[in-house]
Amino acid sequence: MAGRARSSKGGSETEADFTGSTGRQRAPGQMRVAILAAMLLLATYAVFAIRHFAQYQPPPDSTSSQLGRDAAVFAARTDDALDSVRTALAAGREAYRKSAGEPLAAAELAARAAGGRAAGVALVGDAGVLARDGGAADADWLKAATQAQAGGKDGWIGAGDGGAGRRWIYVATPLAAGPHALELVAAVDPASLIGQAQGAALAAVADPDGRLLAIRGPGGSAQALSLKEALSITPADVEDGEAEGKLPDGGAIRLAVHPAGGGGLVVLTGQPAAPAPAPPQTRLAEELITTFGPLVIGALLTILLMLQNRRARRAQQAFSDTEQRFRLAVEAARCGIWEWDLRTDRVFMSDVTGAILGWGGGGVVDSAEVLGRIAPDHRERVRQALDSARLYGAFDVSFRVPDRNGRTAWIDARGQGLSPGDDGFMRIIGVALDVTEERMSQARAQTAETRLRDAIDSVSEAFALWDRLGRLMMCNKNYRTFFSLEPRILKPGASRESVGRFVQLAIKQEHPSGQKGVREAELNDGRWLQISERRTAEGGLVLTAVDITAIKQQEEARRRNEEALQAAVHDLQRSREQLEELARKYEAEKIRAEGANKAKSEFLANMSHELRTPLNAINGFSEIMVGELFGPLGDRRYAEYAKDILNSGQHLLALINDILDMAKIEAGKLNLKFEPMRIEDLVDDAVRLVRNRAESAGLDLVVDIPRLPEIEADYRALKQVLLNLLSNAVKFTPRAGRVTVRAGLEIAPGGGERLRLLVQDTGIGISKADLERLAQPFEQIESQLSKTQQGSGLGLALTKSLVEMHGGLLDMESEPGHGTTVSVVLPLQQSGEVGRSAYAA
């Protein structure tokens, strides 16, 4: 992209040019200069060609010396290519050590640092390939990567087969020594090195044993698999670096051999043996073609440049239009463009960049003004990034920009150097992105992870989590206590086998419990544990251990009492008649209980109709009277009485609905219909119903719902849950308070994701003693003598029951005078039957 921006400052106007990633077409004037230069070069070449032809003498035969130089240059370039891969592996090793043994970090960094020289990079251990980054499409080299190990030697280079008839050059660097050695192995395609042998008719790369890794040459040599087959020689036949070979088609060839890769490879260059001298007429014709051929080609190129000049002028306008559209598209995506001129220490900013940094518009400013906008603790970081960009061309830094309201915005700035010179790159052009929301999301995710770890550490069971490679990810303090393990043994990344050996030292005996994945173990101190193991969705392993010593003691007591019980069998037989009488009475009571349950169900069904029907009539007619649909009522007190009747009827109907729904839940008559739904739609629907009530009470109702995946739930039940929570928050929050609704995803203790929905208010709050009884039916915070709000006390009890029917949890946190936070945790998918019948009538 290219453009110009003006900034008026101090009475002077400054212009700044900036160039983007699309590049700039060559101007017509530049094209004309190029044509003139080409014509001048052609004329100069013609003069020198004529003089050369006049003074031509056949050159002496220097094939041998040239072949030796070609082979040496080929070997040096091969070593340079392999050294770049070796340097990349060393960087991967440092990344592995800094990342506390995370193999993917080493593999990814090594693949990127290889700069395209390596076909792939793999992390190899005793179990084979543990991870890889990059690689050929079929990844044949992985089949032999486990055999291409350095044996502890840094930067080892060798060759081997990779499957499917392909051969590779391997470069290996050890990462960790010991019984579980790890090595980083890169595979280099030998064919990619052949192109570095320039000027030779034949170029080949082989191992010291004479196996061909790659070859380019005449006479059918490209199909050979060894030096013996291709050239009728072996590395042992070569003396003083040169030899005579024979091609498969019988032609003779002169060869030069040079070692490469620290002795792990051999490179060869060759030229066919010189034929008999050609006749003078033939040499004259060849010299004429060699001398005047470039002149003809140059003339044709000049004509092509002139035609290209015409096309360039026609394309210039189209390029300008495309450039403008590209710039508008980038800025429409809130991606600011900037250019830093290091020679003048001035910065051009687009309008979006200026808005992100707090200027409100773009233009040209001094770098000191830009650095002044950055938070003081981040300015040195930006200066260091500029110094690095001056040397290497790459610019990538994140920094904070405080605004006038005291808040902070996070900016990611990335760029690339332009116009390199003796002192480095003189201009840096790039983009700026506002990543404040991403940073806040990361902070929230870290907070959620900390809470999860605290929750796991506080449970009474022993807990340990292993990844799919058998490495320890986390464990709680009870896991250390139960098995008497030292903290140094349980460092993250420790193998399950090594930890298991210490665990077995604390176990006296163990045996299966009869359940899959569950066993019972007796410890050396006499305690009994029930150990459960199960696989996670990612292939890891979760281990939990519960202290069942009391249960085992009870089993032992039952065993000791078994003999006494056998002795009491005789007495029990004598009581048989009494038991039969009790059985008859139990049967009669059972029939009576079933009848009572049936009567209760019929009563609920009748009451649902008998109570709601007259109340609907009362509410309907009183609403007509309040609205005076058929004319005025007369005395204004009639309107007040009608309004009181309507409010009382609606309140009574709500109480009856809560009581009937609670009764249905207790009787098991309330069924839910689970279906996919979006939590954003549910929140919008519920908030719309209570917003007028909140605004009338002088409250600020805030909704903070990000884009979330669908969940499987009953829409009507969850809507009732959210309405109950919002109604309580509005009811018990004083004027000028705030009610906030939030939602987000979190990691469940057993793995996977779940949804957390929060309703937070700044109301009167609840004491800790009241929280324990508040979710019980008919329980209220206020006493009947001092209560200020109406209600049956069933709202939270009904809400808790509906949440638990979804397989979720209801959690409340509150402090008197500091508000209340109610959390509803729901699974994303229901494990039970989906699509059951709707609400019972």
Side-chain angles (χ1 to χ4, degrees), residues 221-392:
S221 59
Q223 286 73 35
L225 299 178
S226 66
L227 289 177
K228 191 70 175 178
E229 182 180 352
L231 304 171
S232 300
I233 65 168
T234 64
D237 299 333
V238 180
E239 296 181 1
D240 300 328
E242 295 188 3
E244 290 284 346
K246 186 177 182 181
L247 296 171
D249 62 355
I253 189 168
R254 185 69 180 173
L255 302 171
V257 184
H258 201 285
L265 301 174
V266 174
V267 298
L268 299 92
T269 59
Q271 294 287 356
Q281 297 83 354
T282 303
R283 292 200 303 271
L284 177 62
E286 291 177 351
E287 190 66 22
L288 286 173
I289 295 173
T290 304
T291 304
F292 295 102
L295 288 175
V296 177
I297 296 174
L300 293 176
L301 289 177
T302 302
I303 296 173
L304 290 176
L305 283 174
M306 296 176 66
L307 295 176
Q308 180 64 24
N309 183 28
R310 295 180 182 178
R311 288 195 295 268
R313 281 183 290 187
R314 289 195 297 267
Q316 185 67 26
Q317 184 60 38
F319 171 76
S320 299
D321 297 339
T322 303
E323 180 184 46
Q324 183 65 19
R325 288 195 296 271
F326 181 76
R327 177 183 179 183
L328 293 176
V330 171
E331 294 189 347
R334 300 295 299 166
C335 181
I337 304 171
W338 55 268
E339 180 180 337
W340 201 306
D341 192 332
L342 300 178
R343 288 171 296 192
T344 62
D345 208 15
R346 306 272 287 171
V347 182
F348 167 81
M349 298 183 301
S350 66
D351 292 341
V352 175
T353 307
I356 290 176
L357 295 178
W359 265 284
V364 179
V365 297
D366 292 333
S367 62
E369 295 185 60
V370 177
L371 294 175
R373 294 277 182 170
I374 300 173
D377 54 338
H378 285 191
R379 291 172 187 169
E380 185 60 29
R381 179 189 304 177
V382 177
R383 292 190 183 98
Q384 292 176 359
L386 283 173
D387 293 338
S388 177
R390 184 192 300 271
L391 296 177
Y392 305 108

Side-chain angles (χ1 to χ4, degrees), residues 53-113:
F53 181 73
Q55 301 173 359
Y56 169 76
Q57 294 293 336
D61 186 10
S62 58
T63 304
S64 299
S65 59
Q66 183 61 38
L67 276 178
R69 289 194 295 270
D70 291 345
V73 172
F74 186 16
R77 292 176 177 175
T78 300
D79 289 339
D80 291 343
L82 296 178
D83 285 344
S84 66
V85 177
R86 187 156 39 193
T87 302
L89 296 185
R93 176 179 59 195
E94 294 301 320
Y96 175 84
R97 293 173 178 173
K98 293 180 180 178
S99 61
E102 179 60 35
L104 291 180
E108 290 171 358
L109 179 57
R112 290 193 298 269

